[in-house]
Amino acid sequence: FPWIGLSSKVMLTNNLAYGCLRSAEAAQYCPHCLNTAAYHRLNWIPVPAAICLEHGCLLVSQCPNCLKRLSIQEIVRNHCKACQKDLSTTEAVSVKGNFLSQKIIQSWFAGTDVTKLTDEYKLPPYNPAVVYRFLENLSQHLLTRREDWTILPAPLDVLSKQITSPIQKRQQLHTLTPGVIFHLYKTAFTGAMDWPNGLLQFLDAYRAYSPSRQNQNKHLNLLRNNWFQPGWRNPDFKFAQQILINYLLAHNIQLPVYFVEQFRSVAWFVEQTGLCSVEHIEPTLDVSTQDLHQFLLRGLLKSCLWTHSRSQTPIFERDKLLTLKQNWKLGWSVQEASY
């Protein structure tokens, strides 16, 4: 992709790149374009490309007669190999409403400048490769949590209204119809617009907040567990990680232990959460390495451990450490301070 520089290639491994592009045996096309000239366009190859921007219609990924998946060769020849249907005569489905998400995503893949659009709609001000991966992750996790759609309020409720056919869990995006992909990415796009308010609105919808609702964090907890998988822990997603961490803290939702363990030595995470590793204790308490070793050996810092800390990777609460330090200054003995 033209917009992927050297510093961003890590965001699209071979497997990820493969998942972003349609294979030669799972192609799609615009009936209007095909009727004009029978050749396969490059802008039909990306999986997220669901509509023809020129004609404002959904692309077609199946034979309209026998519903067989189409190959590039069949599209170029203008006929379905199985039933001989003339593909250029397919009735195009017009897309009503805003398809801004498609304009920006397809422009990213084409390498064209959409600075005015991204500035106008206040997308995260980062490399398009990173923002695209962010959107892809939102789409994938929305897909795996399909059973939640019927209870989600705006802006996520559009999914249950527009996508009514069954979707298998963990189904590859390129096997979905362009109509499903269009609504899936359009909904995910709401999480990136008016940054960071769009993501907060997205999280509020997934939390389905209501003062009278029981277990109101159930669905957000499930999404949270998905979000903090390895793909989300890439340092390039720092901009989204910080927003999500703040949101969880503000709503008293437990942080995933494995995420805290990975980030316990990262400056922004320690500052934001107050959770830190053993390495941060020495400067916080202003003690020597030798004394610190004795404190840990004797368990004198046990009261400062984070509630969910595991013995093999101890995590401490900075506020408790500072309180302990203050008590020491007031003249408590180390022995007393441990109780």
Side-chain angles (χ1 to χ4, degrees), residues 71-270:
S71 67
I72 291 179
Q73 186 180 55
E74 288 172 295
I75 291 173
V76 171
R77 292 181 176 179
N78 207 6
H79 283 83
C80 171
K81 186 177 180 180
C83 67
Q84 300 304 310
K85 168 70 176 179
D86 184 340
L87 300 179
S88 65
T89 62
T90 304
E91 183 177 354
V93 179
S94 297
V95 176
K96 297 180 181 179
N98 190 322
F99 43 85
L100 168 73
S101 58
Q102 286 290 306
K103 289 181 180 178
I104 293 180
I105 291 173
Q106 291 192 39
S107 294
W108 283 342
F109 276 89
T112 56
D113 185 13
V114 287
T115 303
K116 290 184 179 180
L117 280 178
T118 54
D119 287 347
E120 179 181 355
Y121 292 96
K122 298 180 181 179
L123 296 185
Y126 302 98
N127 188 299
V130 176
V131 181
Y132 169 73
R133 284 286 294 114
F134 173 70
L135 290 173
E136 189 202 351
N137 277 1
L138 286 182
S139 300
Q140 288 283 358
H141 294 310
L142 280 171
L143 195 60
T144 59
R145 295 303 311 164
R146 186 180 189 276
E147 58 267 36
D148 299 337
W149 291 356
T150 56
I151 57 92
L152 295 176
L156 307 187
D157 56 348
V158 67
L159 288 171
S160 61
K161 296 176 182 177
Q162 299 292 344
I163 305 176
T164 57
S165 58
I167 299 176
Q168 296 179 3
K169 283 186 177 182
R170 299 183 181 179
Q171 188 174 14
Q172 294 295 317
L173 283 175
H174 67 265
T175 65
L176 304 178
T177 65
V180 171
I181 289 176
F182 169 64
H183 288 292
L184 191 63
Y185 275 88
K186 183 178 180 180
T187 303
F189 212 78
T190 64
M193 292 175 61
D194 188 26
W195 186 260
N197 296 323
L199 181 57
L200 297 177
Q201 185 183 13
F202 186 101
L203 294 172
D204 280 339
Y206 228 100
R207 187 167 175 256
Y209 176 78
S210 170
S212 60
R213 186 185 297 275
Q214 293 183 342
N215 299 322
Q216 61 189 26
N217 290 328
K218 173 185 175 182
H219 298 280
L220 181 60
N221 283 337
L222 292 171
L223 187 69
R224 175 210 64 182
N225 292 337
N226 285 333
W227 275 19
F228 285 107
Q229 294 306 308
W232 281 105
R233 286 181 255 169
N234 189 301
D236 285 332
F237 283 139
K238 174 184 173 181
F239 70 98
Q241 293 163 352
Q242 290 180 310
I243 299 298
L244 186 53
I245 290 296
N246 272 337
Y247 188 90
L248 296 178
L249 292 174
H251 294 88
N252 297 314
I253 300 173
Q254 181 188 332
L255 302 177
V257 176
Y258 50 84
F259 185 86
V260 177
E261 288 176 345
Q262 178 178 336
F263 283 79
R264 67 189 187 278
S265 297
V266 178
W268 70 261
F269 182 84
V270 175

